[in-house]
Amino acid sequence: MADKKFPGLWIETGDDGKICIVMSGAYRPETHLPFVTPAEDLVAAVEMDYTFYRREVQRLYEKHPLFEAKLDISVSELEDLSTEALLLPSMLHEIDPLGFFELGNLLDKDLRMRDDGSASFRIRVGQRLLQTLEVPIYTQIRLRNIMEMAFDGMERVTQQERFEKLRSVYPQVAKFCDPAQLDGYENVILSLPVENVYQLRLVELMLYFRQKKQRIARCDYCWNYFIPKT
């Protein structure tokens, strides 16, 4: 167990198998998301639609003048890109509050990069900003890859067999989300800090493999994930 002593992301478990995700900011009050089961949150995360957000990030890559081939890159171009980059996370505020929270912290660090005096500094900062904006997208891609290994075509096997399949394909991932780490904590309410949203998803997987009431399955027709009622 851990007490909240610093800003960041936390997972708090309930006594009913549900979890609450807490966003603790340095300059803003804590935000508690609604209680859900690990299975419900994993399905929601992997099915989140980033289509419009991804399109806007790609537009900056392809059309912003900062990235045009030229000898001189003005300060105003970097300032303009930074302004546009800081506006994009607002697109995630409703559909992905965790991604919105994480981007706020990451973009703040990017904008604090010190100018090293090199001619390429402005272009590197611009590239760094757009790479940061892609973090929620790549977090989902990594989660989808993990779930495809553990859940696709594995509807009728046990949770342990699913976990062993994951271990055989992604041993480092399985090491982090091994439910055996929680042995001895049955019926104990936990408060678990995580470093980022990707690590949060791995902790959710650990909590998911720990329980047997809900199973995540994948539809053979639409390929979407869901939780069967039976």
Side-chain angles (χ1 to χ4, degrees):
M1 295 181 69
D3 295 325
K4 296 189 291 296
K5 296 180 180 179
F6 56 88
L9 291 170
W10 297 75
I11 294 182
E12 295 185 347
T13 63
D15 56 7
D16 55 358
K18 292 187 176 182
I19 59 173
C20 173
I21 298 173
V22 181
M23 295 176 284
S24 179
Y27 306 106
R28 48 190 162 181
E30 288 183 356
T31 300
H32 294 244
L33 298 183
F35 273 93
V36 293
T37 66
E40 291 168 343
D41 210 38
L42 287 167
V43 169
V46 81
E47 298 297 345
M48 210 171 292
D49 186 1
Y50 289 111
T51 301
F52 297 107
Y53 176 76
R54 186 198 300 264
R55 187 177 300 162
E56 287 302 300
V57 175
Q58 190 62 34
R59 177 184 62 80
L60 292 180
Y61 268 120
E62 296 175 352
K63 298 183 178 181
H64 197 278
L66 180 72
F67 301 113
E68 294 176 357
K70 54 183 178 293
L71 294 177
D72 183 50
I73 300 174
S74 68
V75 174
S76 62
E77 288 175 340
L78 177 58
E79 291 176 344
D80 182 74
L81 177 72
S82 299
T83 299
E84 290 202 54
L86 291 174
L87 290 175
L88 289 191
S90 63
M91 298 178 67
L92 303 181
H93 189 268
E94 295 296 329
I95 66 170
D96 182 12
L98 292 176
F100 176 77
F101 176 84
E102 183 174 31
L103 286 179
N105 295 332
L106 294 176
L107 289 170
D108 181 64
K109 292 179 182 178
D110 292 345
L111 293 174
R112 293 176 185 272
M113 291 175 61
R114 291 189 176 184
D115 192 337
D116 61 7
S118 68
S120 61
F121 174 76
R122 291 164 193 162
I123 190 71
R124 286 191 288 110
V125 172
Q127 291 171 338
R128 178 71 175 268
L129 287 171
L130 297 194
Q131 289 167 0
T132 295
L133 290 174
E134 292 177 315
V135 166
I137 298 170
Y138 286 114
T139 296
Q140 185 188 61
I141 291 173
R142 296 170 78 181
L143 179 61
R144 282 179 172 173
N145 290 340
I146 292 169
M147 290 178 63
E148 185 171 357
M149 290 299 103
F151 305 139
D152 193 12
M154 304 284 285
E155 291 82 1
R156 299 184 183 278
V157 304
T158 65
Q159 290 286 70
Q160 183 62 34
E161 288 174 307
R162 288 178 156 201
F163 178 73
E164 291 302 327
K165 173 69 179 302
L166 177 62
R167 194 205 300 271
S168 68
V169 180
Y170 297 124
Q172 292 304 315
V173 171
K175 183 178 180 180
F176 190 94
C177 60
D178 188 344
Q181 296 181 74
L182 297 176
D183 287 351
Y185 288 96
E186 290 78 9
N187 302 318
V188 176
I189 296 178
L190 303 173
S191 185
L192 307 169
V194 293
E195 295 180 2
N196 49 52
V197 176
Y198 175 65
Q199 192 178 96
L200 182 147
R201 299 306 179 199
L202 296 184
V203 172
E204 288 183 324
L205 279 166
M206 177 172 60
L207 296 169
Y208 167 79
F209 284 121
R210 184 191 189 195
Q211 57 83 49
K212 298 180 180 179
K213 293 182 179 180
Q214 287 188 321
R215 306 283 292 278
I216 296 175
R218 196 176 194 186
C219 178
D220 290 335
Y221 297 96
C222 69
W223 281 29
N224 290 333
Y225 290 95
F226 68 101
I227 301 172
K229 294 182 178 180
T230 61

